[in-house]
Amino acid sequence: MSISIRLNKVDTDLIKSYASMRGMTVSELVRKIVMDHIEEEFGLKEYEKAYAEYRNNPVTYTLDEVVKDLDLA
């Protein structure tokens, strides 16, 4: 898949310089940054969901309890 974006010369030069500084192509840099942002946003949504569940039922477990319940020992 190919995606095109329009940038002014200043932004283009900055992105190219940054990619070069990181030893990446512009495509690699843009892909990495976009994927990292998506992962962070998904992670934040999962955190918010888990925290809301915890607020509704604030039960906590010790590490020993988790290890025992999951039969990890």
Side-chain angles (χ1 to χ4, degrees), residues 56-70:
N56 289 335
N57 184 19
V59 176
T60 60
Y61 301 93
T62 67
L63 179 57
D64 290 337
E65 290 172 323
V66 172
V67 168
K68 183 179 177 185
D69 287 348
L70 297 177

Side-chain angles (χ1 to χ4, degrees), residues 39-53:
E39 288 174 12
E40 286 176 20
E41 194 165 325
F42 276 132
L44 179 59
K45 294 291 184 198
E46 287 301 309
Y47 162 78
E48 290 170 348
K49 179 182 168 187
Y51 187 62
E53 289 176 13

